[in-house]
């Protein structure tokens, strides 16, 4: 029997574990789909507080793990498939790869996964010119030419942001029409650093040790060419890792966990609709998607769980 079971081993999960374990709550952390979360696919992290010279994403997650292990936390590398609430004992039963674990409270910190094109070359050059976060990696493309893939508001927003650093930003979209709102599209069109390639499909990310361009195909003529660029930013959406929670807690239309806490003293700000279940990080946050935000939410969820268990 655990006081707290945390699902997810990213910044939110590890921070939550740090707080619950230091509060002498018996804590189990189940790593979930990707131990370390999205930061394991990032090279330099320069915007996480406390590291004046920056730190590699995978190293940051290893350091977080080492920090929580100091306090005797138990970590298991399983993937949770279901959670059930036991009314009689007011506890939760988690099924993880055929093993069961029981806890008085649960913190969901499963994160979200950026959607990629599914190209082998894209995977090969991830972190070496291919990114899904302009806010995280835009700084490294100062004075370079980059492309943004997508046609929604996120693509327009990321393209505008990248013009702060890049000399040219090209938005590549597979259709002629955009899903972006008129105001966001107009803002991108008015930016002199942004150009558009429509009805174009990316067939390959070109480069050996770093991105040098993208091979594109014109969907109308079938013509193929290599378009030069030193960076490729994917802006085709994120998918929260919450499929296993359907029917158990409230999720929005895109699958993000809905937290119901009110911002007033005494409330559980990270609470879901199921008492004793809390959520933090990118599985909740569809707007900011930053490691420091996830860590802060993990702290909040841990304090909420601590108060819930004590009650």
């Amino acid at each position: 029997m655990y006081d707290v079971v945390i699902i997810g081993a990213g910044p939110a999960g590890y921070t939550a574990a740090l707080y619950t374990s230091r509060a002498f709550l018996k804590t189990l952390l189940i790593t979930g789909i990707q131990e370390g979360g999205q930061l394991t696919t990032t090279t330099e992290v320069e915007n996480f507080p406390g590291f004046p010279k920056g730190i590699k994403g995978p190293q940051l997650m290893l350091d977080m793990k080492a920090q929580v292990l100091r306090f005797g936390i138990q970590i298991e590398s399983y993937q949770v498939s279901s959670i059930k609430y036991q009314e009689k004992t007011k506890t939760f039963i988690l099924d993880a790869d055929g093993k069961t674990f029981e806890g008085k409270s649960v913190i969901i910190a499963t994160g979200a996964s950026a959607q990629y094109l599914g190209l082998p070359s894209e995977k090969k050059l991830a972190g070496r010119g291919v990114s899904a976060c302009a806010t995280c990696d835009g700084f490294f493309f100062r004075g370079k030419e980059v492309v943004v893939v997508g046609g929604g508001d996120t693509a327009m927003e990321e393209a505008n942001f990248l013009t702060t650093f890049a000399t040219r930003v090209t938005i590549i979209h597979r259709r002629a029409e955009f899903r972006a709102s008129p105001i966001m599209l107009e803002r991108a069109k008015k930016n002199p650093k942004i150009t558009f390639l429509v009805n174009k499909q990316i067939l390959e990310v070109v480069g050996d040790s770093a991105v040098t361009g993208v091979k594109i195909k014109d969907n109308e003529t079938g013509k193929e060419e290599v378009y030069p660029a030193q960076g490729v930013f994917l802006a085709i959406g994120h998918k929260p890792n919450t499929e296993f929670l359907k029917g158990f807690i409230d999720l929005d239309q895109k699958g993000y966990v809905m937290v119901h806490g009110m911002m007033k003293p005494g409330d559980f700000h990270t609470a879901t609709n199921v008492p004793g279940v809390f959520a933090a990080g990118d599985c909740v946050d569809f707007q900011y998607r930053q490691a420091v935000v996830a860590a802060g939410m993990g702290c909040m969820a841990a304090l909420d769980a601590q108060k819930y268990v004590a009650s």
Side-chain angles (χ1 to χ4, degrees), residues 39-252:
L39 281 186
T40 58
T41 63
T42 304
T43 50
E44 292 291 334
V45 178
E46 291 192 326
N47 54 2
F48 198 91
F51 299 94
K53 295 183 180 180
I55 186 171
K56 302 287 186 184
Q59 186 60 51
L60 176 59
M61 300 320 300
L62 287 172
D63 289 350
M64 284 190 175
K65 180 178 182 179
Q67 188 174 11
V68 299
L69 284 172
R70 281 183 55 208
F71 298 98
I73 186 177
Q74 181 180 344
I75 298 178
E76 297 287 353
S77 299
Y78 298 118
Q79 186 170 335
V80 177
S81 57
S82 67
I83 307 174
K84 295 179 181 178
Y85 180 63
Q86 298 185 116
E87 181 67 38
K88 185 177 180 180
T89 58
K90 298 190 184 300
T91 58
F92 299 91
I93 295 292
L94 293 84
D95 188 327
D97 293 334
K99 297 183 180 293
T100 57
F101 302 94
E102 190 171 5
K104 298 175 184 177
S105 65
V106 177
I107 295 176
I108 308 294
T110 50
S113 300
Q115 297 190 60
Y116 288 84
L117 297 171
L119 304 172
S121 55
E122 173 189 55
K123 186 176 181 181
K124 169 190 169 186
L125 292 167
R128 289 183 284 177
V130 175
S131 172
C133 181
T135 307
C136 310
D137 300 326
F139 177 84
F140 302 109
F141 294 86
R142 187 179 295 275
K144 298 182 179 181
E145 298 183 355
V146 303
V147 301
V148 173
V149 184
D153 279 353
T154 300
M156 304 305 141
E157 187 175 357
E158 301 245 304
N160 273 297
F161 175 80
L162 286 166
T163 59
T164 307
F165 312 101
T167 55
R168 183 181 70 177
V169 178
T170 303
I171 296 176
I172 299 178
H173 187 42
R174 58 183 177 174
R175 300 188 182 94
E177 301 81 22
F178 291 91
R179 292 179 291 104
S181 59
I183 188 170
M184 292 298 292
L185 181 59
E186 186 65 21
R187 190 175 298 166
K189 286 182 176 180
K190 286 183 177 180
N191 193 316
K193 283 189 174 183
I194 296 178
T195 57
F196 291 83
L197 290 178
V198 297
N199 281 322
K200 299 290 192 295
Q201 179 182 352
I202 295 181
L203 301 178
E204 182 184 357
V205 179
V206 180
D208 294 323
S209 59
V211 172
T212 58
V214 288
K215 185 177 182 181
I216 58 176
K217 175 183 177 182
D218 190 297
N219 289 331
E220 292 182 333
T221 66
K223 180 183 177 181
E224 297 181 6
E225 62 176 311
V226 174
Y227 190 79
Q230 290 82 56
V232 178
F233 287 85
L234 283 303
I236 54 178
H238 286 73
K239 183 179 180 182
N241 303 318
T242 58
E243 190 72 24
F244 71 102
L245 296 170
K246 286 183 178 179
F248 174 65
I249 58 175
D250 287 347
L251 307 175
D252 70 9

Side-chain angles (χ1 to χ4, degrees), residues 7-14 29-32 34-37 61 75 109-110:
I7 309 172
Y14 280 140
L29 187 147
I30 302 176
T31 60
Q34 183 179 8
E35 184 171 357
M61 300 320 300
I75 298 178
T110 50

